[in-house]
Amino acid sequence: MSASLERGLNAFREAMDAPIASFFNSCVHCGMCADACLFHTETGDPKYTPIHKLEPLRKLWKREYTLLGRLAALLGLGETISDAELEEWSPLVYDSCTLCGRCSVACPVGNDITYMIRKMREGMAASGHAPAGLIDATRKSIELGSPMGIKPKTFLAQVHAQEEETGIEIPLDRPGVDYLVTMSSMEILGYPEYLGSLARIFKQAGISWTVSTEAYEATNSGIQIGVSDIAREIVMRIVSVAEELGVKYVISPECGHAFTALRWEGPNLIGRPYKFEVLHVLELLDQLRKEGRLKTEGKTDAALTFHDPCQIVRRGGIVAAPRSLIDMVASDFREMEDPGVYNWCCGGGGGVSAIPRAEELRYTVFKIKKRQIEGTGAGTLVTACANCRNVIEEGLEHYKMDTRVIGITELVAEYLKKDEPA
Ligand code: SF4
Ligand code: SF4
């Protein structure tokens, strides 16, 4: 057995906790997870059945964690796992899983297949079977602090551009404020107007806040590739700065996986609770709305629909907030078919959009989003995740669809009350 395979199998063993063992034990092979996964529904290929994506991990569970499996192994029987098999499974575990969580919601016995795939990636990465695109993003995260290689100089240039655009000072590294705002790589490079929109909203609401020139990046490619040590280091960069500045809240950006990493996985990764609270920006905006501190005027009568980012809505539980915020500024909001926790993924989450070899498959599975958007008749799609936004914009371009896409923070800021200081 090669050293890399041994490392991978050991990572599988480490990942094999009580929930995973019980999930394998309770699977009744009903196939309902297949109908919940866009990679299966849009290709019709049975290899994309979610529980099948875990086959090497299941084999190890059966061989080493069940009585019959252990007896078979003692007799030199039973299934083994080879390096070639892990290589074959790499596209199933990475390219065709966005960790969207829809299969976990559909499973009638409550198996959290998404959690298992996330854990299986630990063994895949340890055995050298992570895809090149994700390895590169992770390397840049370690060396440069950002999976897209954004250095502080680039971040600062975007900050200053937004200051010029809005005429509002964006506080840098300011201690003692209430909120530390983080961004995703995709926002910094592709949608920096998010920061300007927040500056306008915060000025109106009288929020004390800052961005950090060290911990501006919230994207966590350690989780996407499946290396907990790296994921921990990335979380710690934000934790250290937030605790040093003494902020009360860290604001997770319009990015689904950054929210999962920081809010749900972070404390477990670093082994202690934070000294601050993590809020998704939608939670904060909705809180300001409820307190009457987010004041808008006028509404667009253009037909709008909303794409629910999986990690924020299905996995994060933030279902009502985006709808309440859209209702403030739009008179013709149209839900897609299967909205909220049952919405379909954009097809590029969980690191899939960083994997070049997955591009064709990503466009194939985008057909479900295309049908959902077309079904609403809306000309504008609102979302709350910059990665979803980018993936959707690419899908719309691929299918030559003329739909405008906008982030929710930016949409709300467009309708801020004019007589308020902004
Ligand atoms: S998490 Fe989403 S993409 Fe991954 S297997 Fe489940 S349904 Fe499919
Ligand atoms: S839905 Fe659940 S029980 Fe059914 S095959 Fe999938 S994992 Fe097994």
Side-chain angles (χ1 to χ4, degrees), residues 22-35 49-52 54-55 58-59 61-62 79 106-111 113 116:
S22 74
F23 293 154
F24 279 130
N25 211 22
S26 55
C27 176
V28 292
H29 311 288
C30 66
M32 285 175 75
C33 50
D35 295 335
T49 299
I51 195 72
H52 178 69
L54 293 157
E55 192 53 16
R58 189 202 61 80
K59 277 188 185 173
W61 163 78
K62 191 170 177 200
E79 301 163 303
C107 176
V109 296
N111 285 349
I113 306 158
M116 296 159 92

Side-chain angles (χ1 to χ4, degrees), residues 5 30 56 59 88 95 134 169 177 189 200-201 207-208 231 257 302 317 329 363 373 415:
L5 178 60
C30 66
K59 277 188 185 173
E88 190 189 336
D95 310 26
L134 269 182
E169 185 203 351
V177 295
L189 285 186
R200 295 176 60 218
I201 292 169
I207 296 270
S208 73
H257 286 270
V329 297
Y363 288 134
I373 297 169
Y415 290 87

Side-chain angles (χ1 to χ4, degrees), residues 49-90:
T49 299
I51 195 72
H52 178 69
K53 295 174 187 176
L54 293 157
E55 192 53 16
L57 191 63
R58 189 202 61 80
K59 277 188 185 173
L60 186 100
W61 163 78
K62 191 170 177 200
R63 186 179 174 85
E64 299 186 8
Y65 297 83
T66 68
L67 185 61
L68 282 179
R70 283 204 294 263
L71 280 175
L74 277 177
L75 299 171
L77 304 169
E79 301 163 303
T80 54
I81 304 161
S82 68
D83 218 33
E85 186 179 1
L86 294 188
E87 180 65 27
E88 190 189 336
W89 248 259
S90 175

Side-chain angles (χ1 to χ4, degrees), residues 144-146 150 152 155 172-173 180-184 188 210-219 233-245 247 250-251 253 262 276:
L144 304 170
S146 157
I150 300 165
F155 174 64
L172 294 175
D173 302 317
L180 170 66
V181 166
T182 59
M183 292 179 76
S184 69
I188 298 168
T210 191
V211 290
S212 161
T213 50
E214 277 176 60
Y216 48 84
E217 174 62 77
T219 319
E233 190 184 319
I234 295 171
V235 167
M236 263 322 284
R237 282 180 196 160
I238 294 177
V239 172
S240 304
V241 167
E243 293 184 349
E244 204 180 301
L245 291 173
V247 298
V250 170
I251 304 303
L262 207 52
F276 52 85

